[in-house]
Each structure stands twice: as C-alpha cells, then as structure tokens.
Amino acid sequence: MNSVFSRRVFLHAAACTFILVQGKALGTAGKAFAATPKTRWGLIVDARRCANECAACVDACVRENALHSHDRPATDARWIRKVRVTDKTTGFVSRFPVMCQHCASAECVRVCPTGASYRREDGLVLVNRHLCIGCRYCMLACPYKARGFVHEKTSKQAPGSPRGMGTVEACTLCVHRIDAGGRPACVEACAKAGHGAMLFGNFNDPTDPLAKRAVAFAVTALRPELHTDPGVRYQGVTP
Amino acid sequence: MNRTRISNSKAFLVLLGISLLLTLLGAWAALRIESGGHILTGMNNSVPWGVALTLATFLLVAASGTLNLASLSSVFGREAYKPFASFSALLALSLLAGGLFTLMLDLGRPKDVFLVLNHFNAASVFSLNIVIYAVFFLLVGLYWLLTIFTPQGRGTRVFGFAAFVWRIILTTGSGCVFAVLAGRSALHSALLPPLFIALSLSLGLAVSVIALYKAGIASERPFAALCQEDTARGMGNLLAILVAVTFYMAATLHLVGLNSPPVRSFERFVLCSGGIFPVLLWGGFVTLGTLIPLILLLVPALRAWSLRLPAAAGCVVLGSFALMYTLIITPQVYPPEIFPGKIVEDVFYGTPATYEATALEWFVGLGGLGLAGLLSLFGMRVLPVLPNRFQPTSSQ
Amino acid sequence: MRRLNNVIPLVFLLCMMFCPPASAADAPPVPRQKLLRGHWSEDKNIMRSNHQALLKDRMNAAYPLSVPQRQTSIEQCVTCHVTRGEDKLPVSAENPKHFCRDCHTGQRVTLDCFSCHASLPANDPYILLPKVKNADSLRQRLAQYQAAKGGKK
C-alpha cells in the first residue's frame, strides 16, 4: 500500500515537472518570437488629406523599388495601390493607398511552408527570397491581397529591393531606408507633394509623432474582424 | 491466387506510351515555365493558383479516395472487394505521386523545394501536408506489399486500418489548406474538409472504376474477367450513395454561404452571375457530376447497359473536377470583401479578375495524370496486382 | 503548435535521414578570414577559395528575426568591384565580362545571385557605405575606405 502511494506521488510529481518544464520551454520559445517593445514601425494614412488626381506614393514606390512595368497590369508588380471607395448608402467618397499592412499576427507568416515570409522584431513583415519557393500560398492567405508574384525575369533591380522571378514580393516599408534612418519613399513623396497624408513612425515610442497621433485620434484598421493587428492604420476610413 | 500481372500486350504498350508522353509533356511545360516565368501561364496577381494546382489537388484527393476498395475489404471486412485491395493501393500511390509531381512543378522555384526539409514551419498546413504525404507513401506502400505477399495475414488488416485512418487525415489536410484561410471568407468554412472527404470517397471510387476498365483494356481482358457482376453492381450502388453525399455537402456549403453576410455576394457570383463559374457548377457538378450518374446508376431500365458503370464514373470524374475548379478558382477571381458596403473603384480590389489557363498549365496538370498512369501500369506489369476472376492463371 | 515545431521536423527528418536544420549560428565549412581593414582579404587566392562560404554566411546573417545589419548585401560588393564595357559604363551581370561572371562562366557553379540582386554599382545613399564614391579602380576605392575609417584596422 505504501509503495503504491509513493509511486503515484512520484508519477504525479514527474508529470507536473515535465509539464512545467515544457511550459517554461514554450514560454521562452514564445519570447524569442515576440516583438520587442521598443520599436514597432507603422504608418498612419489620413484619407482626408489624400488628393484626388495624385499618384505620388505609387510613382515613388515604382521608382524606388524599380518595379518596371511590362504593360500587363494583371501581372505587373504593384506594391501600393490607390483605391477610391464610395459608400453605397451615404455616397461618401474617400481615397487612400493600400499596401502590405505589416500585421502583428500576419496570415502570410502563418501559412508559409518554408518560413520565408517572416515578421521582423520591429514589426516589418518581409519575404526572405532565399527561402521562397514560389508556392504562392501567402498570396491566397493575405486578407488584403497585398502580396504579388514576380511573373517575369527581373533586370535593372534597385539596390535596396532585390527581386527575382519565381518569388513572392510585397511592400517592404522601404526597409533599406528605415534601417539607414530614413522613411519610406511613399511617405516622403506624399510630403514633398504637399499633402502630408502619410505619416511614418514608431508606435511603441510615446514621444514619436506617430504614436502621439494614434493615441489622440481614432485610427482604424482594415478588416478588423480578422484580428490581424496591422501596422498600417487609417484615418477617415470606416472599415 | 486470383491476381495476375499484366502481360506485354499491344494495348498495354499503347497505354504506357500515352502515359509516358503526357508525363514528358508535363515536364517539358514545367521547364518552359521555369525558364520563361509564370507569365507563360494564365495566372496573375489576383489568381495565383490556377488549373495546374486544381489538377494537383484533384489528383491528391483522388489518391486518398482510391483506397476505398482496399479499405472496404481490410477495414470493413467485405470479402467481395478483397481481390481489389492491392490494385487500389497501387492506384493510391500512383495518383499521390502524380499529384505531388504537378504540385512541385508548378512552384515558382521548383529546384528550391527541398528547402522545406531544412526550414520547416509547423504552423503551416502546407508543410504539415508534406509530412502527411510522406507517411502516406510509407503506410500505403507497406500495405500494398503486404496485400500482394501476405493477403490473408494479420499485418494486412493492421496496415489497412492504419492506411484508412491516414487517408482521412490526408484528405482533411488537403481541405484545410483552403479552409484555414481566414482572409478568404468563401473558403473559410468548417464544411470544407468534410466536403473534401466526401469528394474523395465518390471521386476515388469513380477513378478506381475507370482504372479497372483501363486495366482491362491494357490486359486485353473483358471487364467481367476482372470483376464479378454482383460486385460491379455493388460498386454502382455505392457510387450512387457517395455521389449523393458529396452533393449534400456541397449544397450545404452554398446554402450556409447564402445566409452569411460576408459571403452572400460571392455566393450570388458563383451561383448566378459569374459567367463560366455557374455554368461549371450547375452544368458540370450538378448535372454531369450528380444527376446523370444517379440516373445511370439507379434507373432500373438502364441496368442492362454494360457500360453503365464506367459512363457514370466518367461523369462523376468530370463533375468533381468542375466542383474543384469552382471551389479553388472562384474565390480568387472574386475580390475579397475588404470594404464591405462600399463600391470600390480599382481594377484589382473592385472588379472580378479574369483567368484563362494557357496550354502550358494544362500540360503541367496532365503531366501528373500521366505519371500516375505510368506508375500504375508499371506496378501492374511487375507485380501480381490485377484481379483475375478466372483461375488458375500465370503466377507471381 | 510551438511544441510541434520542435517535434515534427525532428521525427520527419530522422525518418528521411536528413541533416538537422541549419541555423545562422553554424560555422561555415572553411576557416573564416579575419576582416582586414573592414574588407575581406586582399589576397586573390584566399578570396577565390573562400568567397562562397563567406557570402553564404553574410546571406544567412542578414535574416535573423532581430533587426539585421544592412552592411551585408551583395550590392555593396559590386559597387566597388566594377568592370567597365566599351562605352566606359559599368556592365551588369547579363554581360559575361561582369566581375563575378568573368570567372563563373568557366566554373561549374551557376550564379543565381543576380536574378534578384542588382549587379550594377549602387549610388543609392541608403545602400552605399559612407564616403565611398565612384572610383576607377579597386585600389582607389579601398584607399577611400581606409581614409574614411581613419586608417584603423
């Protein structure tokens, strides 16, 4: 009787230790993938300031990343698109650019078989083209249709945006500029054009103008019911 | 032993040649696409998965389904289907190989596919499926060999059960590839994996029937030599039931969709206004894939027609492909509801895309079918797999 | 799911008898050359035999989950290693006279780098190392670089 009781106690203790150890391992594993609290890059797009006939952000992106057009709009690379949206009931018109939303819980990162689609600790969602096999599953998964596929051979690539045939691509938030202390080409072009509809900054830094604006005004996410927690937020756009 | 090998007849060589031609055509098309880019296909940034991937999914679903006949004998104990166990296991292996062939050749960078082995994202259904396919090969391969060499053994039943369970897992995995996509509400349904399982059951049986007829042609034997009349009638009744179940699943999916606000306009598109897609759904799946096979199999007056079973099976195969096309392609063509309740003036986000498959895509897809035929014919030539009613005939 | 992340690939890989997954922390297969004056070795033979391992190491180091150091891209190599054509303009990788293709046309290794990466010298200020301007020879560029670094090692 004694030995049975002590064996049961031993087994219980072993199981609990095992579970605790696994839990700790899970906990630490989880931490390695969590975003650092110091930086979360993002954009706030103010649709009310987006001008009617302007395509400065789109043109700047094409120039910066050498997205040469082949006059085939269905397959040409387009990392940012300007949409014009009319409310069916009220008739209210708004226009704003849509690009990769750099989600905190990105669908594309979850479904990529090789892990080529990944989220950097500072919030950018990027494609590691060394690992991309071109299965295009992330293109199906993205709720914003932000990902594109390189259908043709690339030439005269921009030095900051390597892109090659057979891989998937999307807006990188001009990572080569950000890492050198700058801001994305679209944001700069919008500022230069005098509209100032796009603001770039760090959501996690309370002194950053972006963070201050996000706290003070209502910024919305696209498709909020999908809980993607995007890094691109909008003012003047009702989801 | 009432199983034989196929002999080197003229018909066998012709079928082998056709399979080889299709396979080589598929490989050539894949090489062309790899060097020239996917611009040579009809796929674009709105429709990244086209006909080649539809055919790959079709083959993979059929692969798990063709284990039906084997499962009926090894798992459910129906002795009448025992002669077909090794035949159906061989079919399953060949179709899976064919499906994977097409899947891998359609990648943007096929040479890098082995990266998956070193960099594995376990959260991705796609990569989990790769593991499932590998284990399927192992289990069904072992089961196949056991059915040939120790058909009465206990190991056959054990592995038969394991293969049955694994094939359900595999089909669920194939369904989950689409069902987990939260961004595409048309696909994000809990009904999709069960629909895939029902589809695999009906499609698998239909493909098995057609493959039996093909084997009969290759071995220059009448169908009656491969399969007894009452077994054939049983297969016909089973096919009718499975076709009805598949229709029920698909109908439920669309009925529930019509009642979900996020998907309602998509359902209207696929059922009424979408051009080719309602035609494929109503004409292809409902009429050709469900009504005509049910009429052929259940109407008593048609029972006398000897080609009743293969005709029904052929219709089921075509109807299943039509259903799969609408399941996979339509949610890509129809723009996702990013801005509900609003009119979007942008070609990419606001209007349905156009998709027209090019010949190269069809070749890549049919290449998988060719490989499946090649492997199954080769397997039947080398090992005694073909059921033979009249004994005794040539040995192992 | 995280636990599966650990278990499934191991089981699968063991079954398939492949090597365990590579990581950026693994040492390259050949001895690393110490960085000389911020640059790799000036010895042609050392670079010839080791550049593949070193390039791969830089490639893998560019993609950790933490913020990468942007001074590791191949565009910076070709900014200095320039071959000029008849019109005195730098040639891209499509031209067989390009710095990398000059050797690789004869070797068994096919170059895949420039199917994605730019092969012409960069004049993007966000890519260039500081104070390196277009120079006519590798020696000149190296001298510029040394001057920028104050002649330190």
Side-chain angles (χ1 to χ4, degrees), chain A residues 2-61:
Chain A
N2 235 1
S3 58
V4 170
F5 183 76
S6 59
R7 197 191 325 156
R8 198 188 298 162
V9 165
F10 169 74
L11 284 173
H12 273 231
C16 289
T17 318
F18 180 72
I19 290 168
L20 276 172
V21 165
Q22 282 297 327
K24 188 165 190 299
L26 281 173
T28 33
K31 279 206 191 77
F33 290 86
T36 98
K38 271 186 286 177
T39 313
R40 186 174 173 195
W41 298 122
L43 288 181
I44 291 181
V45 178
D46 191 346
R48 300 165 303 183
R49 304 179 86 160
C50 195
N52 200 354
E53 295 300 325
C54 177
C57 52
V58 178
D59 295 335
C61 178

Side-chain angles (χ1 to χ4, degrees), chain B residues 8 23 26 28 76 89 98 111 158 167 172 185 193 210-211 215 240 264 271 279 281 304 308 310 364 372 379:
Chain B
N8 247 345
T23 315
W28 167 80
F76 298 102
K111 291 196 190 109
V158 166
R167 137 272 188 281
T172 310
S185 339
I210 293 180
R264 194 173 284 149
L271 292 170
V279 168
L281 197 60
R308 173 180 72 105
V364 172

Side-chain angles (χ1 to χ4, degrees), chain A residues 74 76 84-86 88 109-113 133-137 139-140 144-145 149 151 153 165 223 238, chain B residues 34-35 37-39 43 45-46 48-49 106 108-109 112 121 124 177 180 183-184 341-343 345 348-349:
Chain A
D76 276 347
R84 187 169 176 272
V85 151
T86 311
K88 277 186 200 157
V109 173
R110 195 170 58 92
V111 300
C112 178
I133 55 174
C135 73
R136 287 126 38 223
Y137 195 22
M139 289 174 69
L140 271 182
Y144 309 101
K145 270 178 96 171
F149 186 65
H151 290 82
K153 267 206 180 76
M165 184 174 78
R223 300 191 86 177
T238 47
Chain B
E34 204 196 336
S35 62
H38 271 66
I39 193 70
M43 294 184 261
N45 284 334
S46 290
W49 280 14
D106 187 63
R109 290 165 67 91
D112 292 344
N121 178 14
S124 163
V177 164
V180 298
R184 307 265 171 178
K342 301 203 170 56
I343 307 166
E345 278 166 48
F348 191 68
Y349 286 113

Side-chain angles (χ1 to χ4, degrees), chain A residues 73-95:
Chain A
T75 52
D76 276 347
R78 190 56 97 232
W79 293 4
I80 182 171
R81 287 181 176 86
K82 201 154 156 220
V83 295
R84 187 169 176 272
V85 151
T86 311
D87 191 304
K88 277 186 200 157
T89 314
T90 62
F92 181 74
V93 178
S94 61
R95 52 191 78 78

